[in-house]
Amino acid sequence: MNDINVWGLTEKEIDTTKYSLNATLFALGNGYIGTRGNFEEGLELEEYDGTFINGFYDYYDLSYGEKYKGYPSRSHAMLNVTNGKKIDIYINGELFNVEKGTTKDYIREINFRKGVLTRKLTWISPRGDEISFESERLISFYEKHLLLSKVKITPINFDGSIKIISSINGNVKNITKENDPRIGVEFNGDELRVIKSSIDDNIGKIISRTKSSDLGLVCVMSNRLDCTGECSTSYTEYNELVSHTYDVKAMKNEPIILQKYVLYKTYKYVEDNIEKITSDNLIILLKEVMDNGYKFYKCKQKDYLDEFWYNSDISIDGDDSVQQGVRFNMYHLLQSVGRDGLTNISAKGLTGEGYEGHYFWDTEIYILPFFIYTNPDIAKELVEYRYNLLEAARKRGKEMQYDKGALYPWRTINGEECSAYFPAGTAQYHINADIAYSICKYIEASEDEDFLVEKGVEILVETARLWLEIGQFNDDGKFHICCVTGPDEYTAIVNNNVYTNFMAANNLKNAYEAVIFLKNKYPLKYRELADNLNIDEVEINKFHEAYINIYIPYDEDKKIYPQDDSFFQKPAWDFEKSKGKYPLLMHYHPINIYRAQVCKQADLILLEFILNDLFDDKQKKRDYDYYEKITTHDSSLSTCIFSIMANELGYYHKAYDYFIHSVRTDIDDIHNNTTAGVHTANMAGTWMSIIFGFGGMREEKGMLRFSPHLPEKWTSYSFRISFKGRKILVSVDEKGVEYKLLNGDPIVIYNKEEKLELKR
Ligand code: BGC
């Protein structure tokens, strides 16, 4: 990227070697549709492109050398769908392509306040015909089915022919393992098949159907051309490609403007005529959208973003590259997050095929805090999603031979477990506790008691039950949980992972208290739940017994928590020897990594952040000092957490260094894999590093406490927090901190130990 733009991303030179990386960075999305930032006209050798619909996937079989009970037999992955971006342009017969001829005055930009991707350039064809080219693209936040493009071509030095071909192309494939083993899945390339394509009445249509997941997709297109010269129009439908062709007798300095409207809608094959109903409705919508016109959606886009930034912005004075990184990250989170209760936010958002479009614990522990404290309405949809998956999680529990409770899958889109490697997948039972934890955080901050009563208690009980299934009381009277993997994926299948045990105890405690609350305040609801779930006093008391007796290993000599029972029995990792061999998982057999004291990511340190008040400062410091030395941060989920805890412990320089690593991870491609998609958990981790790290915010017993610190490089910063129906503006500079209640009733907060009552 060339210039630091605090409200956007700007590219002033075309670097075709970074074309695919930049296609990720300039990707657009609205939580439903996502499309990579490839040029309308493409490149000659088209690089990594893709358009995705959140929650739209197909299955593939998982193959194992040896398959055991409970191993998932199939997985599913997000599909690359009909390409609606393509616009080919011929200038006097020559194909417009920036790899040929000469390109001048190039600028590509995404503006985070407008939500429109723009590109401008001057192109001189190999024959010498010069044009000015401008394009705009947006995926509407207002109308979730809409992808809108506009191109403007002006001949500079000639009168002649300009041909524009605007198309939708259903002949698309995912990346397969052959193309790239890190990204590709076991797809054959025929997972999404075009079953109908047509063009009439200026409307192009492609209907596709998945091979095995019973999902369908309709994509429709219409175009509008404005020009002064003569123009003839033709339509073609050929080989899964539907196009409108405009042949224009172009005149010097007279612009030709094409507006392209594309709508996507998916459906599930529940009845035979669903395809016709969806497609008829989509055509009605297309006409409405065309009537509203381009400007309308551009204005709505801005209105939507005005509100988003009003709720969410973090403003930083003193370091523009940080400011840019922070806003870039928040913008991508907004573009990626599903908000219909049926979809979620994948590890790579809707920007690429890495991690197959799967949703992980990343949502609950990293991403939800951002939405809970800035856009609680979106947070609600994310917790609703987990409720909608509860039945599938119960089924998964049964598959894993548990009599009671629900086991949420480690990675999934539709609720089925997709993880084929159980030591770093299914064994991460902590996801159950993570979901339970974040639901409580959501309820606390939003005061959404309805959700608690109608859905939350059920999730808490079903997740808590699983701990009783997999844990046991030993002779010491303590509750132990064996054979699990904690968040650190470089240590697998261990007994009593401290993170897991504390979080499980928290899950059990919250389930216990929620049931008691329900019983006292909503006795009828309690009866209903007790009947439906078959819970009784004995079981509830067992929750209590397990959490107060949870076993937590502790090393009395070192005065440190081992990550699990056997962690300190393992030898130190030879960091000298592994120099230059990161990430370790690409260079060593997993068993060699598991055998040593080496961590991929924050595990215990994460625990001491999220269950903050259970540990005193001295303990946190000892643990931090120990684990920092053995953590590789090979996962992008790590540095943000180390930054937060470094701030809490007064290691301000470290806090800043870790934060800097996290804040520009994607823009600067620090993990060298942003081409496959952005890192959404890390993006939200950046937000956490500021709010919980520099801002020192903690939520304790329903109240907010702040302990702000101003990083040396900054002159000031401010952020906004939504909490219990209020919006609080926190501003920090050299003089100190100011809290302002922007809306809602008075509220008590703490500035360190000082109690403050905020009034408007
Ligand atoms: C991390 C996991 C994370 C996953 C998806 C892995 O590298 O170790 O904690 O859930 O990436 O982001």
Side-chain angles (χ1 to χ4, degrees):
M1 285 315 107
N2 310 98
D3 280 353
I4 298 290
N5 170 355
V6 293
W7 277 108
L9 201 63
T10 310
E11 180 189 51
K12 288 193 171 162
E13 259 165 52
I14 303 178
D15 179 350
T16 45
T17 63
K18 290 199 174 154
Y19 184 72
S20 292
L21 168 66
N22 290 337
T24 299
L25 301 179
F26 285 108
L28 297 182
N30 62 2
Y32 180 66
I33 310 168
T35 196
R36 291 174 55 81
N38 300 57
F39 297 163
E40 284 74 8
E41 70 282 10
L43 292 186
E44 200 163 36
L45 254 184
E46 186 56 86
E47 301 277 329
Y48 176 28
D49 194 2
T51 299
F52 312 100
I53 306 281
N54 203 352
F56 191 72
Y57 60 86
D58 200 30
Y59 289 110
Y60 62 93
D61 289 335
L62 286 170
S63 49
Y64 302 89
E66 293 172 50
K67 184 170 179 239
Y68 294 102
K69 199 99 189 114
Y71 279 25
S73 53
R74 62 180 185 180
S75 181
H76 52 276
M78 179 169 82
L79 288 168
N80 179 17
V81 301
T82 311
N83 182 355
K85 286 182 298 211
K86 204 74 200 306
I87 302 174
D88 295 305
I89 298 161
Y90 290 86
I91 310 294
N92 282 324
E94 284 182 298
L95 181 66
F96 163 52
N97 174 329
V98 294
E99 286 167 304
K100 293 193 179 144
T102 313
T103 302
K104 292 190 304 191
D105 308 325
Y106 171 86
I107 179 160
R108 171 161 63 165
E109 195 159 53
I110 171 76
N111 180 310
F112 307 145
R113 282 189 287 203
K114 294 188 182 153
V116 183
L117 175 66
T118 57
R119 189 159 55 105
K120 277 190 193 166
L121 56 95
T122 303
W123 187 67
I124 304 160
S125 74
R127 262 182 37 166
D129 294 330
E130 184 170 343
I131 56 159
S132 117
F133 172 89
E134 289 175 35
S135 72
E136 293 186 358
R137 183 188 297 158
L138 69 85
I139 293 186
S140 176
F141 287 115
Y142 179 73
E143 171 46 69
K144 76 171 195 174
H145 304 101
L146 177 64
L147 161 67
L148 205 50
S149 315
K150 182 165 141 183
V151 297
K152 180 172 164 192
I153 306 147
T154 315
I156 305 290
N157 63 351
F158 67 97
D159 294 334
S161 106
I162 294 190
K163 186 197 277 211
I164 304 175
I165 307 172
S166 172
S167 59
I168 47 177
N169 185 358
N171 185 5
V172 286
K173 294 182 184 13
N174 279 61
I175 295 177
T176 60
K177 280 250 184 288
E178 276 162 35
N179 307 124
D180 188 334
R182 289 165 311 163
I183 314 173
V185 295
E186 304 284 349
F187 274 162
N188 297 322
D190 62 348
E191 284 68 26
L192 188 64
R193 301 155 175 190
V194 172
I195 51 169
K196 253 182 231 163
S197 53
S198 61
I199 184 145
D200 39 43
D201 199 15
N202 189 29
I203 293 178
K205 179 165 78 184
I206 293 182
I207 302 182
S208 317
R209 186 173 184 165
T210 60
K211 190 158 96 181
S212 45
S213 61
D214 277 340
L215 298 174
L217 169 71
V218 184
C219 175
V220 294
M221 161 187 77
S222 201
N223 295 281
R224 181 175 284 155
L225 189 92
D226 287 314
C227 64
T228 39
E230 252 175 63
C231 170
S232 65
T233 311
S234 58
Y235 304 115
T236 38
E237 182 248 308
Y238 172 70
N239 208 7
E240 308 184 342
L241 184 96
V242 174
S243 50
H244 285 176
T245 302
Y246 298 93
D247 275 301
V248 184
K249 279 194 180 151
M251 287 177 294
K252 198 166 137 185
N253 294 328
E254 293 292 333
I256 302 164
I257 299 171
L258 177 87
Q259 291 178 9
K260 179 176 188 181
Y261 297 77
V262 175
L263 296 177
Y264 291 89
K265 191 160 170 47
T266 59
Y267 52 93
K268 178 127 187 98
Y269 272 89
V270 280
E271 46 183 334
D272 283 348
N273 60 352
I274 183 80
E275 176 190 300
K276 184 170 180 327
I277 297 172
T278 313
S279 123
D280 290 351
N281 286 344
L282 206 59
I283 286 172
I284 295 171
L285 181 62
L286 182 63
K287 290 181 177 153
E288 192 186 309
V289 162
M290 300 263 313
D291 283 348
N292 287 338
Y294 188 82
K295 264 199 192 138
F296 175 85
Y297 290 99
K298 228 174 135 174
C299 290
K300 288 285 179 194
Q301 193 81 342
K302 169 121 190 1
D303 293 349
Y304 187 95
L305 287 167
D306 281 348
E307 194 180 333
F308 171 72
W309 290 115
Y310 175 75
N311 290 327
S312 330
D313 191 30
I314 296 178
S315 132
I316 295 166
D317 281 326
D319 191 330
D320 285 353
S321 76
V322 164
Q323 175 70 80
Q324 180 189 39
V326 169
R327 289 200 178 119
F328 173 81
N329 292 345
M330 288 195 275
Y331 186 70
H332 265 280
L333 291 170
L334 178 72
Q335 294 204 116
S336 305
V337 66
R339 19 203 183 282
D340 55 7
L342 300 170
T343 55
N344 204 279
I345 178 164
S346 94
K348 305 277 178 187
L350 298 169
T351 64
E353 290 169 45
Y355 283 125
E356 302 169 43
H358 292 161
Y359 319 133
F360 293 75
W361 72 310
D362 304 31
T363 299
E364 277 69 27
I365 296 300
Y366 290 79
I367 300 167
L368 251 172
F370 168 66
F371 287 110
I372 288 176
Y373 296 114
T374 60
N375 292 270
D377 293 348
I378 296 182
K380 184 177 171 86
E381 299 301 335
L382 294 174
V383 294
E384 288 279 350
Y385 165 83
R386 288 300 185 184
Y387 183 73
N388 285 323
L389 253 54
L390 185 57
E391 203 42 53
R394 286 189 185 109
K395 195 163 161 243
R396 178 68 185 148
K398 295 268 172 311
E399 262 168 35
M400 291 288 291
Q401 306 97 52
Y402 306 125
D403 292 333
K404 282 185 168 183
L407 174 60
Y408 278 97
W410 175 243
R411 52 190 290 176
T412 193
I413 296 174
N414 71 1
E416 293 174 31
E417 176 63 280
C418 289
S419 160
Y421 182 60
F422 80 88
T426 298
Q428 295 200 51
Y429 290 88
H430 65 85
I431 189 163
N432 257 28
D434 302 331
I435 291 170
Y437 164 86
S438 69
I439 281 175
C440 295
K441 285 283 171 196
Y442 161 73
I443 293 167
E444 188 70 72
S446 63
E447 297 184 311
D448 188 349
E449 200 167 297
D450 276 358
F451 181 80
L452 173 69
V453 172
E454 298 296 332
K455 300 171 177 175
V457 187
E458 197 176 334
I459 299 180
L460 293 175
V461 168
E462 291 289 58
T463 46
R465 279 176 152 172
L466 203 93
W467 302 114
L468 298 186
E469 291 283 331
I470 68 164
Q472 79 286 341
F473 288 94
N474 282 1
D475 290 347
D476 57 2
K478 293 282 181 188
F479 190 72
H480 294 243
I481 303 173
C482 297
C483 280
V484 301
T485 298
D488 166 31
E489 293 187 350
Y490 283 174
T491 310
I493 318 286
V494 291
N495 297 344
N496 296 311
N497 166 257
V498 172
Y499 176 96
T500 306
N501 284 19
F502 265 111
M503 290 294 281
N506 189 60
N507 187 171
L508 289 156
K509 174 174 182 284
N510 285 328
Y512 174 80
E513 288 173 357
V515 173
I516 304 284
F517 167 82
L518 200 68
K519 200 170 166 187
N520 293 337
K521 192 161 170 195
Y522 300 92
L524 286 178
K525 268 274 152 209
Y526 168 76
R527 262 295 20 110
E528 207 182 295
L529 186 84
D531 290 348
N532 286 345
L533 299 186
N534 203 10
I535 34 170
D536 55 24
E537 298 279 324
V538 178
E539 192 179 5
I540 299 305
N541 288 337
K542 228 169 163 196
F543 288 176
H544 184 258
E545 208 187 325
Y547 90 72
I548 56 170
N549 288 306
I550 192 77
Y551 173 77
I552 304 291
Y554 189 72
D555 188 310
E556 289 296 346
D557 297 331
K558 293 190 171 79
K559 297 257 173 285
I560 293 171
Y561 287 101
Q563 212 170 262
D564 57 77
D565 275 359
S566 63
F567 196 74
F568 288 161
Q569 292 162 23
K570 295 178 177 175
W573 177 260
D574 189 342
F575 283 95
E576 261 313 299
K577 220 166 143 189
S578 64
K579 258 192 189 152
K581 292 188 180 165
Y582 295 100
L584 298 182
L585 63 102
M586 300 297 275
H587 299 270
Y588 296 87
H589 188 287
I591 200 135
N592 293 322
I593 303 177
Y594 299 165
R595 194 175 287 123
Q597 285 191 43
V598 61
C599 307
K600 181 180 181 188
Q601 62 205 98
D603 187 298
L604 189 78
I605 305 307
L606 171 63
L607 174 75
E608 294 186 348
F609 157 54
I610 60 181
L611 296 185
N612 204 267
D613 49 353
L614 298 187
F615 308 90
D616 67 37
D617 289 350
K618 286 186 180 143
Q619 184 63 51
K620 287 177 190 161
K621 188 170 178 311
R622 285 193 299 272
D623 291 337
Y624 184 99
D625 292 344
Y626 189 87
Y627 285 95
E628 188 191 26
K629 292 194 189 79
I630 56 171
T631 303
T632 59
H633 309 292
D634 279 352
S635 159
S636 69
L637 280 63
S638 195
T639 46
C640 54
I641 304 301
F642 274 81
S643 174
I644 295 169
M645 288 310 284
N647 256 308
E648 185 175 326
L649 298 170
Y651 293 144
Y652 296 127
H653 285 116
K654 281 185 184 188
Y656 200 74
D657 290 347
Y658 283 125
F659 168 74
I660 288 296
H661 184 99
S662 166
V663 72
R664 291 183 63 91
T665 287
D666 286 308
I667 298 188
D668 296 339
D669 195 17
I670 289 179
H671 285 261
N672 215 6
N673 60 7
T674 293
T675 297
V678 297
H679 300 76
T680 51
N682 171 73
M683 289 178 144
T686 304
W687 178 89
M688 292 208 291
S689 303
I690 298 177
I691 309 304
F692 301 124
F694 303 122
M697 184 177 105
R698 298 287 182 272
E699 185 265 306
E700 290 157 16
K701 300 190 181 71
M703 289 213 236
L704 292 181
R705 178 187 304 276
F706 297 87
S707 321
H709 159 75
L710 181 68
E712 265 172 22
K713 274 196 83 177
W714 302 355
T715 46
S716 68
Y717 66 105
S718 65
F719 57 86
R720 285 140 193 265
I721 294 295
S722 296
F723 191 66
K724 302 197 177 199
R726 280 80 158 185
K727 190 164 304 299
I728 303 167
L729 173 67
V730 182
S731 313
V732 185
D733 62 18
E734 285 107 344
K735 289 188 251 112
V737 54
E738 188 183 84
Y739 302 95
K740 208 176 199 171
L741 186 64
L742 299 179
N743 61 23
D745 294 337
I747 185 169
V748 171
I749 60 155
Y750 282 84
N751 177 48
K752 296 184 180 145
E753 300 311 316
E754 184 192 359
K755 188 172 172 182
L756 303 170
E757 190 183 5
L758 302 186
K759 292 188 189 137
R760 287 183 68 183

